[in-house]
Amino acid sequence: MTKRAKTHAKKSRVRGHLRTKAEGVLKPFTKPKGNQNRVNPGAKVHVAAAIVNNKVRVWHYLPTLWCADAACDFYAGVLAPALRRCRKGRRAFRILGDNDPAGYKSKKAVDCKRGLKITPIKFPKYSPDLNPLDYFLWAEVNRRMAEQSAPANESQSAYKARLRRVAMGIPKSVIRAAVAKMKTKAAEGVVAEGGRIPSD
């Protein structure tokens, strides 16, 4: 990313993500500004990540936008092998995933996970505050990247390699502390919802 692109990226950074048309005016999402997407932000990457045993074990660059086909390729070719490698001896796995219906809840993706013996944990809709990747990992990677002295002009491949090193280099102790916050965040959610958390 060029220096100008990096400056623009910092200015446009938001909590959560910019809502899509399908998400309407729901509170957890941020309304994009009229000129938000008129500036070329430089290189873009689409990442699928996973935390296993308090460590970023998966940092995979998707060849296309996230969809049912991309999800199946990721589950079978990347996530399942990583889970088997990190959880030796286990044949079935439970994961806390995202709620994006395009890749996670489509029939094709659901069938793919079932065939790989991967069971998703029930997760409330629109709850990035309960997902460690959403409330911790992306912001932590951004923070650590910002602390580095990157070249004024950086190729996409060099940027992706540096991004991966930073993400997978986060210490276990830092991730363990962040994951432990899930319990407190879930309890706060129960109180906020009057004693229950709606299922997905």
Side-chain angles (χ1 to χ4, degrees):
M1 296 173 68
T2 63
K3 185 176 181 181
R4 180 171 179 269
K6 290 176 183 177
T7 300
H8 173 70
K10 287 182 180 179
K11 289 181 179 179
S12 62
R13 190 170 296 149
V14 296
R15 181 181 179 83
H17 70 264
L18 297 179
R19 67 183 180 220
T20 64
K21 290 182 179 179
E23 290 163 345
V25 295
L26 296 170
K27 290 183 179 179
F29 304 104
T30 304
K31 182 179 180 180
K33 296 179 181 178
N35 62 352
Q36 186 86 38
N37 299 315
R38 293 182 185 176
V39 178
N40 181 3
K44 286 186 177 181
V45 293
H46 300 284
V47 180
I51 293 173
V52 186
N53 294 344
N54 296 309
K55 191 74 176 172
V56 178
R57 304 289 184 181
V58 173
W59 189 265
H60 177 70
Y61 294 108
L62 299 168
T64 182
L65 291 176
W66 189 254
C67 62
D69 289 334
C72 289
D73 290 342
F74 172 70
Y75 293 140
V78 181
L79 184 60
L83 291 171
R84 295 190 194 105
R85 186 171 59 251
C86 297
R87 297 294 184 89
K88 293 179 180 179
R90 294 194 182 185
R91 296 183 178 179
F93 308 94
R94 295 190 72 201
I95 64 169
L96 175 62
D98 201 299
N99 272 319
D100 176 19
Y104 295 97
K105 294 185 178 180
S106 66
K107 185 179 185 304
K108 186 171 184 177
V110 169
D111 290 344
C112 180
K113 281 181 285 190
R114 185 180 297 115
L116 294 167
K117 296 184 178 179
I118 295 175
T119 304
I121 297 171
K122 288 287 185 179
F123 191 61
K125 290 182 179 180
Y126 313 119
S127 302
D129 55 323
L130 297 179
N131 189 327
L133 268 64
D134 289 326
Y135 72 70
F136 162 73
L137 183 61
W138 309 125
E140 181 67 11
V141 171
N142 276 334
R143 186 185 69 78
R144 289 172 179 263
M145 288 288 285
E147 289 178 348
Q148 296 187 356
S149 297
N153 291 287
E154 188 174 29
S155 68
Q156 187 181 45
S157 59
Y159 175 76
K160 288 166 71 173
R162 186 163 64 90
L163 193 65
R164 179 186 174 87
R165 285 196 304 271
V166 167
M168 301 192 80
I170 300 175
K172 273 189 173 184
S173 58
V174 175
I175 295 180
R176 186 182 296 111
V179 172
K181 292 180 180 178
M182 288 177 64
K183 187 174 181 179
T184 302
K185 288 176 174 290
E188 291 172 349
V190 170
V191 172
E193 290 292 333
R196 64 182 183 83
I197 292 184
S199 174
D200 62 351

